[in-house]
């Protein structure tokens, strides 16, 4: 039994006493307690050791007081499980030394048994659920197929992911083969996370907004739709496709319970596009957390009023930045928790 189920009730469209709040990438480098573990263990070691993943997952719950925990892991453990080498280079980010560029490269990629390759994630989830002891729900997650293809083809982070796009535009059959393999893996992976105890799942399409509305449908939403259909009957499902506000209507039509939005769209406009049968999540500018605390407090109130009561989860419009002071993150969370709609 959950003591605080505000997030789940809001996703199901129930009215709650206040708006729930969590922050994307809330377990991470802005927390000194995380930095201590980062000094001692490699990134994938932290992901693959259930005790470490558990400790890091719980840090923001204990330190900042968020209404949900999100599993400490990374979207790139899926390409790894599918057979690609993934490194995380200090201060540079993800690096895949042998990305997928040709049909021959695709023969190295497989749809794995997720219990064999990602069993450590399910072990971490079981441990986290035990340690949370019902305090708040646990969010499981995976990258959207398009965003994972970006890294699997480009081989590293990018502002434009032009090589990933070129792959899709010049070798669409290969691209669709790869996207379907990622989709099949992700469905099995998210179902396993739910079975292990995840209370809800979020699909991160961080680079969905790089595609035109038409290409977003072709190379991203087509696959997200399959994932949502496969898990939405089991747990509430959230899609976060950064920058893809043009497709909020078609994302709502997938039957997802929640849609994440970034700070570049007005809440009232997002509501108009998404309709009334879905919960919106967002959309505080992550860099705004660098403002003085009274400014954060005022802008949180403005945001909450703009979304109105019900069907809203307070969050940032993208991940928290590493240089945000912890007391500013806490001020954001507290301002949401103290607010009541008139
Ligand atoms: O300590 C370090 O330096 C590692 C930094 C780090 C962390 C803390 C990475 C590398 N991943 C993570 C954890 C992580 N990644 C979580 C944990 C749970 C939480 O939210 O607290 C989650 C949900 C992710 C998801 C993720 N990884 C996304 C989607 C969300 C987003 O921010 O857009 C993406 C795009 C990644 C790839 C990735 N992994 C790490 C970095 C620095 C990146 C981004 C690289 C880039 O900009 O291309």
């Amino acid at each position: 039994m959950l003591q605080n189920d505000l997030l789940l009730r809001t996703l199901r469209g129930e009215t709650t006493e206040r708006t729930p709040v969590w922050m994307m990438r809330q377990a991470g480098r802005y927390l000194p307690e995380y930095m201590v573990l980062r000094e001692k263990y490699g990134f994938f070691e932290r992901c693959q050791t259930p005790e470490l993943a558990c400790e890091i997952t719980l840090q923001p719950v204990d330190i900042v007081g968020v209404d949900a925990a999100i599993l400490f892991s990374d979207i790139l453990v899926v390409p790894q499980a599918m057979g690609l080498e993934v490194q995380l280079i200090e201060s540079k980010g993800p690096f895949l030394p042998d990305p997928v560029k040709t049909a021959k490269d695709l023969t190295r990629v497989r749809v794995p048994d997720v219990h064999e390759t990602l069993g450590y994630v399910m072990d971490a989830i079981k441990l986290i659920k035990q340690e949370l002891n019902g305090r708040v729900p646990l969010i499981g997650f995976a990258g959207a197929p398009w965003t994972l293809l970006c890294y699997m083809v480009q081989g590293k982070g990018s502002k434009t992911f032009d090589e990933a796009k070129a792959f899709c535009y010049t070798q669409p059959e290969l691209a669709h083969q790869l996207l379907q393999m990622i989709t099949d893996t992700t469905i099995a992976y998210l179902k396993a996370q739910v079975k292990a105890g995840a209370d809800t799942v979020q699909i991160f399409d961080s680079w969905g907004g790089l595609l035109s509305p038409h290409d977003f449908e072709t190379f991203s939403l087509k696959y997200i739709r399959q994932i949502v259909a496969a898990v939405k009957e089991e747990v509430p499902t959230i899609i976060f496709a950064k920058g893809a506000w043009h497709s909020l209507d078609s994302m709502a039509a997938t039957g997802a319970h929640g849609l994440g939005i970034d700070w570049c769209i007005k809440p009232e406009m997002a509501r108009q596009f998404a309709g009334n049968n879905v919960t919106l999540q967002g959309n505080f500018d992550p860099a705004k957390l660098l403002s003085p605390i009274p400014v954060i407090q005022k802008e949180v109130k403005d945001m909450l009023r703009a979304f109105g009561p019900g069907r809203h989860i307070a969050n940032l419009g993208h991940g928290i930045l590493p240089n945000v002071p912890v007391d500013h993150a806490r001020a954001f969370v507290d301002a949401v928790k103290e607010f009541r709609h008139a």
Side-chain angles (χ1 to χ4, degrees):
M1 267 294 282
L2 285 170
Q3 290 138 42
N4 173 349
D5 61 354
L6 288 169
L7 180 92
L8 302 180
R9 281 156 59 209
T10 302
L11 282 168
R12 292 194 204 102
E14 294 169 30
T15 31
T16 53
E17 42 289 18
R18 66 168 174 84
T19 303
V21 57
W22 67 283
M23 294 179 296
M24 286 193 279
R25 307 292 288 267
Q26 64 190 17
R29 284 176 296 176
Y30 74 106
L31 289 174
E33 291 82 351
Y34 174 80
M35 295 309 278
V36 173
L37 296 173
R38 191 174 183 265
E39 293 289 306
K40 281 212 227 152
Y41 307 97
F43 181 71
F44 289 111
E45 194 180 1
R46 276 172 270 145
C47 293
Q48 289 164 7
T49 313
E51 291 73 22
L52 290 175
C54 176
E55 184 176 347
I56 298 171
T57 299
L58 263 59
Q59 283 175 350
V61 178
D62 295 330
I63 300 165
V64 197
V66 282
D67 291 313
I70 178 161
L71 165 71
F72 179 78
S73 184
D74 197 80
I75 61 168
L76 297 171
V77 299
V78 166
Q80 223 170 29
M82 293 179 76
L84 294 185
E85 184 186 344
V86 181
Q87 304 169 1
L88 201 82
I89 299 178
E90 185 81 14
S91 75
K92 275 190 103 176
F95 179 64
L96 290 79
D98 302 302
V100 178
K101 304 279 183 193
T102 64
K104 185 160 173 283
D105 293 331
L106 199 60
T107 62
R108 291 187 277 119
V109 179
R110 60 173 190 276
V111 177
D113 177 329
V114 293
H115 295 281
E116 250 164 52
T117 50
L118 295 164
Y120 63 86
V121 174
M122 276 48 90
D123 292 340
I125 291 176
K126 288 177 199 153
L127 188 60
I128 294 163
K129 284 295 285 181
Q130 201 178 310
E131 293 296 313
L132 276 174
N133 196 20
R135 275 182 286 166
V136 290
L138 175 64
I139 306 169
F141 72 89
W146 157 251
T147 287
L148 290 182
L149 177 144
C150 281
Y151 290 101
M152 292 168 90
V153 172
Q154 190 96 15
K156 55 183 185 306
S158 163
K159 280 204 166 68
T160 57
F161 283 102
D162 51 317
E163 292 173 43
K165 285 184 168 181
F167 177 78
C168 291
Y169 303 158
T170 58
Q171 306 179 82
E173 265 181 45
L174 271 192
H176 284 295
Q177 264 181 47
L178 178 55
L179 289 164
Q180 192 59 53
M181 289 170 86
I182 303 170
T183 302
D184 295 344
T185 307
T186 303
I187 288 173
Y189 181 44
L190 288 178
K191 280 181 177 278
Q193 289 188 27
V194 171
K195 195 154 170 249
D199 297 292
T200 170
V201 294
Q202 174 156 317
I203 301 159
F204 283 95
D205 200 5
S206 305
W207 312 126
L210 296 179
L211 295 168
S212 72
H214 179 262
D215 288 334
F216 179 71
E217 169 56 40
T218 307
F219 295 106
S220 182
L221 194 54
K222 179 180 172 204
Y223 298 95
I224 292 178
R225 198 176 281 126
Q226 294 179 38
I227 299 168
V228 172
V231 294
K232 76 176 163 85
E233 304 302 336
E234 296 182 28
V235 287
T237 303
I238 308 168
I239 306 171
F240 171 65
K242 186 175 179 293
W245 51 268
H246 48 69
S247 295
L248 282 168
D249 55 347
S250 21
M251 285 192 268
T254 63
H257 300 71
L259 300 179
I261 53 171
D262 66 43
W263 60 98
C264 298
I265 179 166
K266 293 176 187 164
E268 38 287 50
M269 218 178 237
R271 176 54 71 199
Q272 211 179 331
F273 291 162
N276 292 323
N277 289 325
V278 70
T279 296
L280 293 174
Q281 175 174 276
N283 71 340
F284 207 74
D285 175 359
K288 265 277 154 68
L289 290 186
L290 298 168
S291 335
I293 286 177
V295 175
I296 295 172
Q297 291 167 332
K298 180 190 174 293
E299 299 223 1
V300 165
K301 284 185 199 154
D302 292 344
M303 170 181 79
L304 293 169
R305 285 196 193 100
F307 278 98
R311 296 229 88 147
H312 175 228
I313 297 162
N315 204 318
L316 307 176
H318 201 185
I320 189 165
L321 300 165
N323 55 342
V324 167
V326 178
D327 57 333
H328 287 217
R330 206 182 284 119
F332 171 76
V333 170
D334 285 343
V336 177
K337 287 174 146 184
E338 282 155 20
F339 185 87
R340 294 292 178 278
H341 285 284

